[in-house]
Amino acid sequence: MGGNRQAVSVVLDEALRARLTSLAGSTRGQVRAVLRAKIVLAAAAGASNAAIARTLGVSVNTVRKWRGRFTAAGMEGLKDAPRPGRPRLYDSRVRLAVVASATSAPTHPESTWTHRTIATLVADTTSAAISPSQVGRILAGLDLKPHKVRGWLTRRDNPQFWERAADICNLYLNPPNDAVVLSIDEKTAIAARSRKHPGRPAGPGRPSRQEFEYIRHGTVSISAALNVRTGEVLTQPIARNNAATFIDFLRMLERTINPCHAIHVVLDNGASHIARTTKAWLADHPRWHVHWTPPHASWLNQVELFFSALTRRVLRHGDFPSRDDLIDKMDAYVIAHNTTAKPYRWTYDARPLKAA
């Protein structure tokens, strides 16, 4: 009883009592449904509204509401009543047109959808005006993002891919005894750029800042050879990325490496690597054993890991007032890298490679 109002009497038959008891003890049911079942069961047991409210930690008005609704309509009365609100502006036909547009190719000559172009197309095809913002809400609700494009490569199912990949993985995991294993490639067109104004260091709650405008001072290209066993790297600036330059780099490695050791080298299918003169030079030097990466799989070449680190640590946010300054900073990074170099831990299960 609350105030001067008489509590509504609740009477349950065995079927209703069993159903409400099951709901009240459920661990997967909605919290509000469990609470309402407990209110009705307590009311049927003869408890007052105030006592039920204290036990369940709710207001007396809440107890009175669900007690009364159950008495009036049974289990249906414990359901939420329809909520008032603005009726839907767009029927399923319009929403389907939005989805159909977003999942089809844009109209000529555009290559990417925008909310505005989708709204225009839907209005033309359904004669229903819809705003770009409403298109955005419909697409967001369905997690559709037609403005985003992710590239991918359709690789032909060529058995050679698996044979070459397996060969290189086996080379990394089980390098031959008394052999040097090298991963070789070039990094070309590295821009020497200096910012027009000095940057600002990071502060609490604020990232470092870098001037957007820059001055170009030319580009630098390098050849690099990574010793897979040790993690050490040897780099050399190159004027041109052609077969003659690449052979000169191989000759330098030939002179540097102990003649007692065989040389196993991982190469991708770059033009300077597969040129006839390059293959002829390799054939004339039988201690060189080439392991070719499959087409479109240069990521199997471990030297790419070094290039990635060089880009992150030196190049991406670096300031280089001249080509010579860029070369000096790359050389300094290589020297520092080699003082603490460790081999990369090789994995081939889609996890990132990490230094050992």
Side-chain angles (χ1 to χ4, degrees):
M1 184 179 294
N4 295 323
R5 297 175 61 181
Q6 184 70 31
V8 177
S9 178
V10 175
V11 179
L12 301 176
D13 59 27
E14 289 302 319
L16 273 177
R17 186 180 298 277
R19 187 174 174 186
L20 286 166
T21 300
S22 175
L23 179 56
S26 173
T27 58
R28 295 187 178 183
Q30 292 181 333
V31 173
R32 58 179 179 268
V34 172
L35 174 64
R36 294 165 193 175
K38 289 179 178 179
I39 290 173
V40 174
L41 287 171
S48 67
N49 290 345
I52 297 172
R54 285 194 301 271
T55 301
L56 298 179
V58 296
S59 69
V60 173
N61 284 337
T62 298
V63 175
R64 185 182 295 120
K65 171 184 175 180
W66 295 110
R67 185 174 192 156
R69 287 184 57 172
F70 178 81
T71 303
M75 292 298 293
E76 288 296 317
L78 298 184
K79 296 180 180 179
D80 288 328
R83 295 180 180 272
R86 189 173 66 176
R88 226 180 194 184
L89 293 178
Y90 306 103
D91 57 21
S92 57
R93 180 177 60 94
V94 175
R95 297 172 68 85
L96 182 61
V98 170
V99 174
S101 300
T103 54
S104 62
T107 54
H108 180 78
E110 299 189 20
S111 60
T112 305
W113 284 113
T114 66
H115 294 167
R116 186 172 299 280
T117 54
I118 292 176
T120 301
L121 180 62
V122 170
D124 291 341
T125 56
T126 66
S127 300
I130 184 171
S131 68
S133 59
Q134 183 61 31
V135 168
R137 283 190 285 271
I138 292 172
L139 296 178
L142 298 171
D143 195 27
L144 274 174
K145 302 172 182 178
H147 59 286
K148 289 190 174 182
V149 178
R150 177 176 292 176
W152 69 303
L153 173 68
T154 303
R155 180 180 53 78
R156 290 174 294 178
D157 189 13
N158 186 345
Q160 189 181 57
F161 174 90
W162 304 107
E163 293 168 4
R164 289 189 177 186
D167 174 56
I168 291 173
C169 291
N170 183 63
L171 178 67
Y172 291 153
L173 295 171
N174 304 291
N177 294 327
D178 298 324
V180 175
V181 179
L182 300 177
S183 173
I184 298 178
D185 203 359
E186 296 82 25
K187 187 171 180 64
T188 59
I190 306 169
R193 303 183 301 186
S194 61
R195 306 290 166 173
K196 284 193 173 182
H197 303 283
R200 297 181 183 179
R206 187 196 68 203
S208 59
R209 299 181 180 182
Q210 191 171 53
E211 171 66 28
F212 179 78
E213 288 189 283
Y214 54 83
I215 302 171
R216 295 178 181 271
H217 303 286
T219 61
V220 174
S221 298
I222 60 172
S223 291
L226 167 71
N227 187 320
V228 172
R229 288 183 183 272
T230 66
E232 294 176 305
V233 179
L234 188 149
T235 61
Q236 177 176 283
I238 56 176
R240 299 184 65 186
N241 184 22
N242 56 20
T245 302
F246 183 61
I247 292 173
D248 285 341
F249 186 63
L250 295 181
R251 289 195 182 104
M252 183 269 292
L253 294 172
E254 171 74 13
R255 294 191 300 269
T256 304
I257 298 171
N258 189 324
C260 297
H261 295 313
I263 302 172
H264 289 258
V265 58
V266 177
L267 292 175
D268 65 17
N269 298 273
S272 62
H273 303 165
I274 62 174
R276 281 183 295 179
T277 51
T278 300
K279 289 186 174 181
W281 187 92
L282 291 168
D284 289 339
H285 294 77
R287 74 167 176 149
W288 285 76
H289 306 274
V290 180
H291 302 258
W292 300 100
T293 65
H296 307 299
S298 58
W299 43 268
L300 281 169
N301 203 341
Q302 278 197 27
V303 74
E304 297 294 342
L305 298 170
F306 171 76
F307 287 152
S308 176
L310 176 67
T311 300
R312 295 193 309 272
R313 302 285 295 278
V314 179
L315 304 178
R316 182 172 295 157
H317 301 299
D319 195 87
F320 312 106
S322 67
R323 293 180 70 256
D324 289 341
D325 180 70
L326 172 58
I327 293 171
D328 289 344
K329 287 177 179 174
M330 287 194 292
D331 286 345
Y333 176 78
V334 171
I335 293 170
H337 167 86
N338 288 340
T339 59
T340 59
K342 294 181 181 180
Y344 289 101
R345 253 185 283 167
W346 176 251
T347 60
Y348 190 52
D349 58 0
R351 291 182 300 176
L353 294 173
K354 299 179 181 179

